[in-house]
Amino acid sequence: MYYVSTRNKGVKRLASEAIAQGLAGDGGLFTPEVFPKLSQNALDTMRDMSYQQRAVYVMKPYLDDFTASELTAFAKRAYGENKFDTREVAPVREIDSNTYSLELWHGPTCAFKDMALQMLPHLLTASLEKTAERKTACILVATSGDTGKAAMEGFRDVKGTRILVFYPKDGVSAIQELQMLTQEGENVGVCAVEGNFDDAQSGVKRLFADEDLRAKLAEREYFFSSANSINWGRVLPQIVYYVSAYCDLMREEKIKKGDLVNVCVPTGNFGDILAAYYAKMMGVPLGRLICASNANNVLTDFIRTGLYDRNRTFYNTISPSMDILISSNLERMLFEYADRNDAEVRSYMEQLAASGRYEVSDAVKARFQRDFAAGFCDDEATKAQIRKLWNENHYLADPHSAVAFKVLEDYRAATEDETPTIVVSTASPYKFCSDVLTALGKQPGEGLAVIDQLSELTGIKPPRSLAILKDRRTRFGQVTTKDELAQRVLEFLK
């Protein structure tokens, strides 16, 4: 199995090389040269497996240069009981007779990023050994809220790595920020960026392309790698939970093997829903992939019109992990729908860099509209959905998950499509206590008191990792401009 760049498919790397490198040298994203297909009896085989076993079964065909025993050990460490607060790891909860919530927030940082970022450190460190890389990996991360904490927790004190996270100063929740600023570990660093997430993400991408900075790092025995979803080692573990959810619905006899199931995903960077598409390509019977956005609805407009235009107002919303106008992983989807025409993808990305917009061909647009639906909602509709889910279903949702539930409701009203649907729940409601309390008609208290306040109101116990934040000391506090990221990296690596 080789991996090719979306901007030059003549560039080919083994899995370990693609994971170690993170981003292709031409700025493209590594993607499998071919996608493995599940065998006819694969879903039956995985039906009664544990999540750890399913992870090995799904990931192994993509990782030729890793052994099954290696992956088994990685899965045991990544998804063990000491890491996740439920045996199922990614449980599927029934909301009503044809709506299910795939809860991806039972890991150490209470967000879906744990599903990949507990696995990635094992894949990356093994990849460095396989490629005989002697330098230390400097892992750069741009985060809109959840990736940063999950990446630092995953790479905390991992040998041969240093990790530096950049986040938008006023673009994450108070609890998300505190999670990052109190992160433990000798090899971690955090820095706020003046601006929004796109400023942080674009800045980090520029660092990867900065040859002068790369040379300075090489002199210090460092090289760049990434824990963002531009790294294939981030996307691959995300495919697993869609396969697992389908198997769980089979096991619980909610569906029969072969029944179509729709998926509704709240996403800003497109990686989470891209993984659903890849699961579908492998043979999981997924129907419509419903892309849910908040007021930053660039993806909704793109899927409906074929025009991607980030030249629009940027909104800071109560679902900050989706406050994104440049969706990096969309490039991998364009690569597939353009019949892997790297020149076409390169042209789109050049237009995006030059003017902030591009329009895809009619063929590409038709393929998006064949597989995807899209919708969005604003903060008021999000709060109303949180309240509705609690009052009618006694289900407590965070703002990102609520966006998806609202978009699904709108989709069903418009299409009358009542296909059973998995809604991807991406974060614990306790990461957004103030907004959830407000949605439930309560005045939130000050600071971390909101955690106990939400627990008392709902009777739901908060995750331990959030409850203990009040006992943690703040370790970081640096703020920088988007033009000074290279300087911050060099300071971090002194």
Side-chain angles (χ1 to χ4, degrees), residues 343 394 408 418:
H394 206 65
L408 174 60
E418 293 296 326

Side-chain angles (χ1 to χ4, degrees), residues 211-255:
E211 294 299 332
D212 181 58
L213 181 60
R214 282 179 175 274
K216 290 178 180 177
L217 261 64
E219 291 174 2
R220 303 184 188 188
E221 295 296 309
Y222 288 99
F223 75 99
F224 279 144
S225 190
S226 174
N228 282 100
S229 54
I230 57 176
N231 191 319
W232 177 252
R234 264 285 305 277
V235 178
L236 177 55
Q238 293 180 267
I239 300 173
V240 176
Y241 49 72
Y242 291 104
V243 181
S244 181
Y246 193 91
C247 291
D248 281 347
L249 291 178
M250 286 174 52
R251 185 175 60 196
E252 298 301 319
E253 298 183 348
K254 303 298 183 182
I255 60 171

Side-chain angles (χ1 to χ4, degrees), residues 330-355:
L330 190 61
E331 182 171 341
R332 284 188 168 109
M333 196 72 259
L334 291 169
F335 186 63
E336 299 303 325
Y337 284 158
D339 292 325
R340 302 194 151 217
N341 184 333
D342 49 4
E344 184 175 347
V345 173
R346 195 162 58 246
S347 173
Y348 294 146
M349 295 303 101
E350 288 170 353
Q351 292 174 57
L352 182 65
S355 65

Side-chain angles (χ1 to χ4, degrees), residues 75-96:
K76 184 176 181 180
R77 295 201 291 269
Y79 304 120
E81 291 181 4
N82 62 324
K83 293 291 184 71
F84 285 75
D85 65 15
T86 179
R87 180 181 56 81
E88 300 101 316
V89 179
V92 179
R93 310 293 191 201
E94 183 173 329
I95 305 301
D96 60 39

